[in-house]
Amino acid sequence: MNEYHQVKESMGSLRPYEKCLKFGPGFLSDAELLGVILRTGAVGMDAVALGERILKMVPSCSGLAGMYRLSVDELCRLKGI
């Protein structure tokens, strides 16, 4: 197994915060980055799932950069925010 596959395999078993500490933020998806920032989700939804819900609210191609278009009111309507 080459180094890339070893890193990828070990990343799959880590939560986003641990993955960020071990490999750096460049190895995280946008939803995982939001999960690290949020730290907690809501009942039945972890922080990464909450991050995915937030990202679904922005135009599909804009990712984290599109979050500036969301108002505080829109974000506060989400369970967990």
Short mmCIF file of all heavy atoms in Angstrom, two decimals, residues 24-54:
data_model
loop_
_atom_site.label_atom_id
_atom_site.label_comp_id
_atom_site.label_asym_id
_atom_site.label_seq_id
_atom_site.Cartn_x
_atom_site.Cartn_y
_atom_site.Cartn_z
N GLY A 24 -4.12 18.50 8.86
CA GLY A 24 -4.29 19.88 8.45
C GLY A 24 -5.64 20.11 7.79
O GLY A 24 -6.29 19.18 7.32
N PRO A 25 -6.09 21.36 7.73
CA PRO A 25 -7.41 21.67 7.20
C PRO A 25 -7.57 21.37 5.71
O PRO A 25 -8.68 21.17 5.23
CB PRO A 25 -7.57 23.17 7.48
CG PRO A 25 -6.18 23.67 7.67
CD PRO A 25 -5.38 22.54 8.23
N GLY A 26 -6.48 21.30 4.98
CA GLY A 26 -6.56 21.00 3.55
C GLY A 26 -7.07 19.61 3.24
O GLY A 26 -7.48 19.33 2.12
N PHE A 27 -7.09 18.72 4.22
CA PHE A 27 -7.55 17.36 4.02
C PHE A 27 -9.03 17.19 4.34
O PHE A 27 -9.57 16.11 4.21
CB PHE A 27 -6.74 16.39 4.90
CG PHE A 27 -5.42 16.02 4.31
CD1 PHE A 27 -4.31 16.80 4.55
CD2 PHE A 27 -5.28 14.90 3.51
CE1 PHE A 27 -3.08 16.49 4.01
CE2 PHE A 27 -4.06 14.56 2.96
CZ PHE A 27 -2.96 15.36 3.21
N LEU A 28 -9.69 18.26 4.76
CA LEU A 28 -11.10 18.19 5.15
C LEU A 28 -12.00 18.70 4.03
O LEU A 28 -11.63 19.61 3.29
CB LEU A 28 -11.36 19.02 6.41
CG LEU A 28 -11.07 18.37 7.74
CD1 LEU A 28 -9.60 18.04 7.92
CD2 LEU A 28 -11.54 19.24 8.87
N SER A 29 -13.18 18.13 3.97
CA SER A 29 -14.20 18.65 3.06
C SER A 29 -14.76 19.94 3.65
O SER A 29 -14.54 20.24 4.83
CB SER A 29 -15.33 17.63 2.89
OG SER A 29 -16.04 17.49 4.10
N ASP A 30 -15.52 20.68 2.85
CA ASP A 30 -16.15 21.90 3.36
C ASP A 30 -17.06 21.59 4.54
O ASP A 30 -17.07 22.32 5.54
CB ASP A 30 -16.94 22.61 2.27
CG ASP A 30 -16.04 23.29 1.24
OD1 ASP A 30 -14.80 23.37 1.45
OD2 ASP A 30 -16.58 23.75 0.21
N ALA A 31 -17.83 20.51 4.44
CA ALA A 31 -18.74 20.13 5.54
C ALA A 31 -17.95 19.78 6.80
O ALA A 31 -18.36 20.12 7.91
CB ALA A 31 -19.63 18.97 5.12
N GLU A 32 -16.81 19.10 6.63
CA GLU A 32 -15.99 18.75 7.79
C GLU A 32 -15.38 20.00 8.41
O GLU A 32 -15.29 20.12 9.64
CB GLU A 32 -14.89 17.78 7.39
CG GLU A 32 -15.39 16.39 7.09
CD GLU A 32 -14.32 15.48 6.53
OE1 GLU A 32 -13.44 15.95 5.76
OE2 GLU A 32 -14.35 14.29 6.87
N LEU A 33 -14.96 20.97 7.59
CA LEU A 33 -14.43 22.23 8.12
C LEU A 33 -15.48 22.95 8.95
O LEU A 33 -15.20 23.45 10.03
CB LEU A 33 -13.94 23.13 6.99
CG LEU A 33 -12.62 22.77 6.35
CD1 LEU A 33 -12.39 23.59 5.09
CD2 LEU A 33 -11.47 22.99 7.33
N LEU A 34 -16.71 22.98 8.44
CA LEU A 34 -17.78 23.59 9.21
C LEU A 34 -18.03 22.81 10.50
O LEU A 34 -18.28 23.39 11.55
CB LEU A 34 -19.07 23.65 8.40
CG LEU A 34 -19.16 24.78 7.40
CD1 LEU A 34 -20.42 24.65 6.55
CD2 LEU A 34 -19.13 26.12 8.09
N GLY A 35 -17.93 21.50 10.43
CA GLY A 35 -18.08 20.67 11.62
C GLY A 35 -17.06 21.01 12.69
O GLY A 35 -17.37 21.06 13.88
N VAL A 36 -15.83 21.27 12.26
CA VAL A 36 -14.77 21.65 13.20
C VAL A 36 -15.10 23.00 13.84
O VAL A 36 -14.95 23.18 15.05
CB VAL A 36 -13.39 21.71 12.50
CG1 VAL A 36 -12.34 22.35 13.37
CG2 VAL A 36 -12.96 20.29 12.09
N ILE A 37 -15.59 23.92 13.04
CA ILE A 37 -15.93 25.25 13.55
C ILE A 37 -17.12 25.17 14.49
O ILE A 37 -17.12 25.76 15.58
CB ILE A 37 -16.22 26.22 12.39
CG1 ILE A 37 -14.94 26.48 11.60
CG2 ILE A 37 -16.82 27.53 12.90
CD1 ILE A 37 -15.16 27.14 10.25
N LEU A 38 -18.14 24.41 14.10
CA LEU A 38 -19.37 24.30 14.91
C LEU A 38 -19.15 23.50 16.19
O LEU A 38 -19.77 23.78 17.21
CB LEU A 38 -20.49 23.65 14.08
CG LEU A 38 -20.98 24.45 12.89
CD1 LEU A 38 -21.85 23.58 12.00
CD2 LEU A 38 -21.71 25.68 13.35
N ARG A 39 -18.31 22.48 16.11
CA ARG A 39 -17.96 21.59 17.22
C ARG A 39 -19.08 20.67 17.67
O ARG A 39 -18.83 19.57 18.13
CB ARG A 39 -17.42 22.35 18.44
CG ARG A 39 -16.15 23.10 18.24
CD ARG A 39 -14.98 22.23 18.23
NE ARG A 39 -14.83 21.56 19.52
CZ ARG A 39 -13.84 20.79 19.81
NH1 ARG A 39 -12.90 20.58 18.95
NH2 ARG A 39 -13.78 20.18 20.97
N THR A 40 -20.33 21.10 17.62
CA THR A 40 -21.44 20.24 18.01
C THR A 40 -22.56 20.37 16.98
O THR A 40 -22.66 21.38 16.29
CB THR A 40 -22.00 20.60 19.39
OG1 THR A 40 -22.48 21.94 19.36
CG2 THR A 40 -20.95 20.46 20.48
N GLY A 41 -23.40 19.38 16.93
CA GLY A 41 -24.55 19.41 16.04
C GLY A 41 -25.81 19.61 16.85
O GLY A 41 -25.88 20.48 17.70
N ALA A 42 -26.78 18.77 16.58
CA ALA A 42 -28.05 18.81 17.30
C ALA A 42 -28.44 17.36 17.58
O ALA A 42 -27.76 16.44 17.14
CB ALA A 42 -29.10 19.50 16.44
N VAL A 43 -29.52 17.18 18.28
CA VAL A 43 -29.98 15.83 18.58
C VAL A 43 -30.21 15.09 17.26
O VAL A 43 -30.92 15.57 16.39
CB VAL A 43 -31.27 15.86 19.42
CG1 VAL A 43 -31.82 14.47 19.61
CG2 VAL A 43 -31.01 16.54 20.76
N GLY A 44 -29.54 13.95 17.11
CA GLY A 44 -29.69 13.15 15.90
C GLY A 44 -28.89 13.63 14.71
O GLY A 44 -29.02 13.08 13.61
N MET A 45 -28.05 14.66 14.88
CA MET A 45 -27.28 15.20 13.77
C MET A 45 -25.92 15.67 14.29
O MET A 45 -25.87 16.54 15.15
CB MET A 45 -28.03 16.39 13.14
CG MET A 45 -27.32 17.01 11.97
SD MET A 45 -28.11 18.50 11.30
CE MET A 45 -29.79 18.40 11.79
N ASP A 46 -24.85 15.09 13.76
CA ASP A 46 -23.53 15.53 14.21
C ASP A 46 -23.15 16.84 13.52
O ASP A 46 -23.87 17.36 12.66
CB ASP A 46 -22.47 14.44 13.98
CG ASP A 46 -22.24 14.10 12.51
OD1 ASP A 46 -22.61 14.89 11.63
OD2 ASP A 46 -21.66 13.03 12.26
N ALA A 47 -22.03 17.41 13.90
CA ALA A 47 -21.61 18.72 13.39
C ALA A 47 -21.36 18.70 11.88
O ALA A 47 -21.64 19.68 11.20
CB ALA A 47 -20.36 19.18 14.14
N VAL A 48 -20.85 17.59 11.36
CA VAL A 48 -20.60 17.51 9.91
C VAL A 48 -21.93 17.50 9.15
O VAL A 48 -22.07 18.18 8.13
CB VAL A 48 -19.75 16.27 9.56
CG1 VAL A 48 -19.60 16.12 8.05
CG2 VAL A 48 -18.38 16.36 10.22
N ALA A 49 -22.92 16.77 9.64
CA ALA A 49 -24.24 16.76 9.01
C ALA A 49 -24.86 18.15 9.03
O ALA A 49 -25.48 18.58 8.05
CB ALA A 49 -25.15 15.75 9.70
N LEU A 50 -24.67 18.87 10.13
CA LEU A 50 -25.15 20.24 10.21
C LEU A 50 -24.42 21.11 9.19
O LEU A 50 -25.02 21.94 8.51
CB LEU A 50 -24.98 20.79 11.63
CG LEU A 50 -25.49 22.20 11.89
CD1 LEU A 50 -26.95 22.37 11.49
CD2 LEU A 50 -25.28 22.55 13.36
N GLY A 51 -23.12 20.90 9.06
CA GLY A 51 -22.34 21.62 8.05
C GLY A 51 -22.86 21.35 6.65
O GLY A 51 -22.95 22.25 5.81
N GLU A 52 -23.22 20.09 6.37
CA GLU A 52 -23.78 19.74 5.06
C GLU A 52 -25.10 20.46 4.82
O GLU A 52 -25.36 20.93 3.72
CB GLU A 52 -23.98 18.23 4.97
CG GLU A 52 -22.68 17.46 4.87
CD GLU A 52 -22.86 15.96 5.00
OE1 GLU A 52 -23.97 15.49 5.37
OE2 GLU A 52 -21.87 15.25 4.75
N ARG A 53 -25.93 20.55 5.85
CA ARG A 53 -27.21 21.27 5.71
C ARG A 53 -26.98 22.74 5.40
O ARG A 53 -27.69 23.33 4.60
CB ARG A 53 -28.05 21.13 6.98
CG ARG A 53 -28.62 19.72 7.12
CD ARG A 53 -29.66 19.61 8.18
NE ARG A 53 -30.84 20.43 7.84
CZ ARG A 53 -31.70 20.88 8.73
NH1 ARG A 53 -31.54 20.61 10.00
NH2 ARG A 53 -32.74 21.59 8.36
N ILE A 54 -26.00 23.33 6.06
CA ILE A 54 -25.68 24.74 5.78
C ILE A 54 -25.23 24.91 4.35
O ILE A 54 -25.66 25.81 3.63
CB ILE A 54 -24.62 25.27 6.77
CG1 ILE A 54 -25.19 25.31 8.18
CG2 ILE A 54 -24.10 26.63 6.33
CD1 ILE A 54 -24.15 25.56 9.26
#
